[in-house]
Amino acid sequence: MDNKIAEIKQQFLSELEKAENSADLEAIRVAYLGKKGFVTELMKEMKGLSNEEKKTFGQKVNVIKGEVTDKIAEKNQELKEKELQKEIDSMPEFDISMPPTLGEGSYHPITLVQRQCERIFKSMGFTVEDYAEVVSDYECFESLNIPKHHPARDMQDTYYLENGQLLKSQTSAAQNAIYKKYKDALVNDGVPIKAIFPGRCFRNEATDACHENTFFQMEGVMVDKNISISNLIYFMKTMLSEVFQKDIKVRLRPGFFPFVEPGFELDISCLICGGEGCPSCKHSGWLELCPCGMIHPEVLKAGGIDPDEYTGFAFGLGLTRLVMMKYGIKDIRDLNGGSLKSLTQFTDDE
Ligand code: FA5
């Protein structure tokens, strides 16, 4: 009997040695520990033995059974590790320091048009200013001749922060700081203030095809002696014809803004429907693009500039709407939607 146990053990070890994968191992397990396996069959051989012999033999069978079970478990672990290593080895090498192999990114259409406008205005002697998105009530309203409780505030449903500051609802919020920054050069050296300041604006708007709660404007101001409305019209027309590379139909309507006097609304003929009327232009054929006007004397005064000596114009171009017109984007929400499929089709065409 001892010989038989030794033989089985020997045979088991040599078969185990040859097992290459978990399927081989399972076959060995069944061959030795299964219902009709070598180890199980050994128990049947106890039948003709005396009680004392049964006890000794039983113990030996249990030992080999335990050994076979442990060795199979060990081999199972070893094979699993080997299989994992094989899988790792077969994977392509990944170098974390390599640049991504995805296609090249592209600029957002708003960035493209903003940069184009910046280039055009720079070529006409304007500086490009950057300004904060969180501003004070003074910057956004009071310095612009819109005191507390003025009804003009109702036009811009503003996000106020708990600390009393607010999310800029119009790029005009930078006007006061720009006047203060350049007034000395204007007064002492006769350098006109010519600045544009593009920026993101926020209003608690119900969104539709032409309104978003987050959108871009581009403000522009020019202050010097004898600035008139003709200067304003010249700069706006030059900018629009450069952006669209064609003659654009514009119209001026009277418009009220407390920080300009007189004030206008500059509309352009809707380029999406060709002026026929569509949801993008609220079926009017015209798109309100650029409110503008002559800077109110009180606003100049708040910026430290003497309104009796200097005059100026200001405009607040709806940059997001300009982008819609330029690229024929029918719904403003596509611009904030983050869909790379729609946004990556724009390239800098200059
Ligand atoms: C203003 O914000 C004034 N600060 C503009 C101004 C500047 C007037 C300087 C005079 C002198 P208004 O609220 O109309 O005005 O907005 C200006 C432009 O921003 C609009 O013509 C429009 O093109 C764009 N705009 C306004 N609200 C939205 C919105 N919710 N979504 C997208 N564009 C908008």
Side-chain angles (χ1 to χ4, degrees):
M1 277 301 166
D2 284 354
N3 282 352
K4 189 150 191 189
I5 291 176
E7 247 173 55
I8 289 175
K9 191 172 169 183
Q10 197 54 46
Q11 187 188 329
F12 166 74
L13 289 174
S14 103
E15 283 179 26
L16 194 69
E17 177 79 30
K18 289 180 205 143
E20 283 183 352
N21 50 43
S22 42
D24 293 348
L25 192 63
E26 178 59 10
I28 294 171
R29 190 192 65 76
V30 173
Y32 287 83
L33 300 176
K35 268 190 190 161
K36 292 190 176 159
F38 296 117
V39 177
T40 323
E41 289 289 315
L42 276 175
M43 297 301 249
K44 292 178 189 163
E45 304 201 6
M46 289 203 287
K47 270 184 201 159
L49 300 179
S50 67
N51 279 351
E52 193 52 36
E53 283 170 329
K54 268 186 193 163
K55 197 177 161 196
T56 331
F57 183 70
Q59 279 170 350
K60 286 180 181 166
V61 173
N62 276 340
V63 170
I64 185 177
K65 195 177 173 186
E67 281 176 359
V68 168
T69 308
D70 290 351
K71 292 269 182 219
I72 287 178
E74 256 172 49
K75 188 75 180 182
N76 186 33
Q77 186 60 28
E78 184 189 312
L79 287 175
K80 268 192 186 160
E81 279 166 19
K82 263 193 195 159
E83 276 164 21
L84 181 66
Q85 191 57 47
K86 206 166 145 193
E87 201 181 320
I88 291 172
D89 292 346
S90 70
M91 283 164 94
E93 287 237 332
F94 178 67
D95 180 352
I96 200 164
S97 63
M98 290 290 284
T101 49
L102 296 170
E104 277 181 17
S106 63
Y107 285 109
H108 193 284
I110 293 178
T111 306
L112 293 176
V113 175
Q114 180 182 322
R115 289 186 177 174
Q116 191 185 11
C117 291
E118 286 175 6
R119 276 196 293 276
I120 297 165
F121 276 104
K122 268 188 195 167
S123 74
M124 298 190 287
F126 283 72
T127 60
V128 179
E129 311 286 331
D130 197 15
Y131 209 68
E133 288 178 353
V134 175
V135 297
S136 65
D137 190 273
Y138 177 80
E139 289 164 291
C140 202
F141 296 120
E142 288 188 42
S143 68
L144 293 167
N145 207 23
I146 312 177
K148 287 207 164 57
H149 311 299
H150 192 290
R153 291 194 181 209
D154 294 347
M155 304 298 291
Q156 303 181 6
D157 195 349
T158 309
Y159 295 108
Y160 284 88
L161 306 182
E162 278 174 4
N163 67 4
Q165 288 187 295
L166 51 97
L167 297 184
K168 180 171 74 182
S169 58
Q170 50 181 349
T171 42
S172 307
Q175 279 195 26
N176 187 260
I178 305 288
Y179 300 142
K180 286 174 177 161
K181 180 174 171 186
Y182 291 115
K183 70 177 167 44
D184 290 343
L186 172 73
V187 174
N188 302 334
D189 308 320
V191 180
I193 300 177
K194 288 167 91 179
I196 56 163
F197 23 110
R200 194 183 266 122
C201 301
F202 308 86
R203 292 182 196 175
N204 184 22
E205 299 260 16
T207 58
D208 59 27
C210 59
H211 288 88
E212 255 291 9
N213 50 29
T214 304
F215 56 96
F216 283 79
Q217 290 184 342
M218 195 180 73
E219 191 93 355
V221 292
M222 177 170 183
V223 182
D224 199 0
K225 288 185 174 161
N226 303 318
I227 295 295
S228 74
I229 215 76
S230 323
N231 299 103
L232 166 66
I233 293 169
Y234 166 78
F235 282 113
M236 293 319 296
K237 281 203 98 172
T238 308
M239 192 276 293
L240 288 171
S241 53
E242 286 281 326
V243 167
F244 290 103
Q245 297 287 303
K246 64 174 175 182
D247 241 12
I248 298 295
K249 240 164 100 183
V250 297
R251 73 174 186 189
L252 271 185
R253 292 177 286 127
F256 174 72
F257 301 92
F259 37 95
V260 285
E261 180 58 41
F264 304 99
E265 288 283 1
L266 185 143
D267 301 338
I268 63 168
S269 173
C270 180
L271 298 173
I272 296 203
C273 59
E276 304 258 297
C278 69
S280 305
C281 60
K282 291 197 204 138
H283 305 281
S284 69
W286 292 94
L287 206 87
E288 186 187 302
L289 185 71
C290 186
C292 49
M294 300 304 293
I295 302 165
H296 196 286
E298 287 302 321
V299 174
L300 286 176
K301 251 195 247 171
I305 295 168
D306 180 358
D308 292 331
E309 216 174 320
Y310 298 97
T311 50
F313 67 74
F315 62 85
L317 179 74
L319 198 59
T320 306
R321 293 211 183 139
L322 183 65
V323 173
M324 290 171 73
M325 290 296 109
K326 176 163 165 121
Y327 292 117
I329 297 169
K330 293 194 178 85
D331 196 315
I332 194 169
R333 290 165 289 198
D334 288 338
L335 290 163
N336 281 359
S339 155
L340 290 182
K341 198 169 163 202
S342 52
L343 294 178
T344 51
Q345 62 189 288
F346 303 98
T347 47
D348 198 343
D349 50 7
E350 301 207 328

